[in-house]
């Protein structure tokens, strides 16, 4: 086993290796299995409403085509987000996720889209407080997007994601700049030195992703303490051993 005696299992888009990702059943299954965290992505619809979806387009997971921005929220809530797995399950909103699971599990909320006409971190913060879930959530964002998270929701912990620009500040630089308590590394853009640097600042270190024992052990041996996974069932069984 890895040197780390205990690690956190973060269900990446829920139990997404088995069930349709970023849907209420997928999150419920991961929580029922004992996942420490669920991770989900927040984007915007045509009418600038928040929806849970990883991709900017709907083609991969649903029966619809085109961009999320081609559809209003009501249409997407009556669309199938599980057709790629031969399921029927609708898209969901962050409010539905927070209302149903808030306080039961830590929520890693990846703000995948920002817009000048809607304060996404602020709206999410209001939902977390409405459903008494503010102590069990954190926002993940990239680079300068963390600035808006800090301005609009200074009391919600922040997690620095892999920045988009290859020649600018690194993930830990942004985490320091915006007082993040966590960094979420993306394979293969990290090494032990970067992990140690984050840990020296007292940050938790997660990595995306591992779905088997070998890769999980490799991440833990490198110093990762939280593993994002599409197969929370596999990693939880490994940890329980």
């Amino acid at each position: 086993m890895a040197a780390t005696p205990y690690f956190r299992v973060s269900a990446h888009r829920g139990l997404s290796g088995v069930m349709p990702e970023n849907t209420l059943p997928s999150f419920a299954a991961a929580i029922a299995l004992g996942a420490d965290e669920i991770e989900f992505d927040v984007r915007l619809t045509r009418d600038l409403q928040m929806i849970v979806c990883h991709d900017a387009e709907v083609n991969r997971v649903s029966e619809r085509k085109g961009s999320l921005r081609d559809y209003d929220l009501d249409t997407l809530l009556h669309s199938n987000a599980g057709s790629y797995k031969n399921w029927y399950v609708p898209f969901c909103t962050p409010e539905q996720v927070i209302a149903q699971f808030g306080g039961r599990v830590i929520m890693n909320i990846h703000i995948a889209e920002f817009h000048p006409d809607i304060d996404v971190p602020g709206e999410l913060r209001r939902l977390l407080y409405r459903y008494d879930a503010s102590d069990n959530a954190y926002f993940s964002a990239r680079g300068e997007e963390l600035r808006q998270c800090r301005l609009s929701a200074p009391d919600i912990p922040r997690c620095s994601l892999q920045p988009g620009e290859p020649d600018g500040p690194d993930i830990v630089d942004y985490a320091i700049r915006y007082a993040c308590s966590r960094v979420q590394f993306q394979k293969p853009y990290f090494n032990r030195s970067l992990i140690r640097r984050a840990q020296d600042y007292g940050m938790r270190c997660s990595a995306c992703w591992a779905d088997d024992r070998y890769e999980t052990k490799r991440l833990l041996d490198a110093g990762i303490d939280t593993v994002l996974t599409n197969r929370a069932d596999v990693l939880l069984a490994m940890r329980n051993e």
Side-chain angles (χ1 to χ4, degrees):
M1 272 295 295
T4 305
Y6 175 83
F7 65 96
R8 291 178 181 267
V9 174
S10 180
H12 182 234
R13 311 177 202 170
L15 191 62
S16 56
V18 179
M19 306 171 72
E21 65 181 54
N22 275 328
T23 61
L24 295 176
S26 186
F27 299 132
I31 294 168
L33 286 169
D36 304 287
E37 300 183 6
I38 57 171
E39 182 268 353
F40 60 93
D41 308 277
V42 177
R43 289 191 177 274
L44 298 171
T45 62
R46 180 170 59 190
D47 49 344
L48 296 184
Q49 299 298 306
M50 295 185 295
I51 194 162
V52 177
C53 187
H54 177 268
D55 299 358
E57 296 187 341
V58 296
N59 306 39
R60 181 175 61 85
V61 298
S62 81
E63 81 283 12
R64 296 191 180 275
K65 303 297 181 184
S67 169
L68 274 174
R69 290 294 190 89
D70 294 334
Y71 301 96
D72 59 27
L73 178 63
D74 185 66
T75 299
L76 289 170
L77 292 181
H78 292 87
S79 301
N80 184 10
S83 61
Y84 76 112
K85 284 189 179 291
N86 295 318
W87 278 54
Y88 183 83
V89 57
F91 287 90
C92 61
T93 66
E95 181 167 10
Q96 289 174 310
V97 178
I98 295 167
Q100 188 160 338
F101 305 118
R104 296 174 55 189
V105 68
I106 295 169
M107 290 179 288
N108 173 359
I109 305 175
H110 176 194
I111 304 177
E113 191 171 357
F114 291 75
H115 192 281
D117 294 333
I118 176 174
D119 179 7
V120 176
E123 290 297 321
L124 289 168
R125 178 184 181 274
R126 281 188 279 275
L127 290 174
L128 290 170
Y129 274 94
R130 180 182 303 167
Y131 295 102
D132 197 24
S134 59
D135 291 336
N136 299 97
Y138 61 94
F139 294 157
S140 296
R142 301 182 190 281
E144 290 299 330
E145 294 170 346
L146 289 162
R147 181 197 302 272
Q148 187 62 45
C149 295
R150 189 178 188 183
L151 287 172
S152 299
D155 51 339
I156 304 299
R158 292 170 295 282
C159 175
S160 179
L161 300 178
Q162 182 66 35
E165 63 278 8
D167 300 322
D170 65 32
I171 185 173
V172 180
D173 293 331
Y174 278 115
I176 296 167
R177 181 180 300 178
Y178 294 112
C180 296
S181 59
R182 303 166 182 257
V183 291
Q184 182 177 304
F185 295 108
Q186 179 74 37
K187 298 189 303 184
Y189 305 107
F190 66 94
N191 52 42
R192 289 173 184 260
S193 175
L194 208 54
I195 294 170
R196 284 195 295 269
R197 183 164 165 248
Q199 291 171 335
D200 286 344
Y201 280 89
M203 300 171 190
R204 297 192 70 98
C205 296
S206 60
C208 184
W209 46 270
D211 288 345
D212 59 46
R213 293 166 182 260
Y214 172 82
E215 184 64 10
T216 300
K217 184 178 186 302
R218 190 182 75 83
L219 293 177
L220 298 180
D221 286 341
I224 294 299
D225 58 66
T226 303
V227 181
L228 278 77
T229 179
N230 305 302
R231 292 299 304 267
D233 53 331
V234 172
L235 269 64
L236 286 164
M238 172 186 174
R239 189 176 74 182
N240 292 338
E241 291 174 2

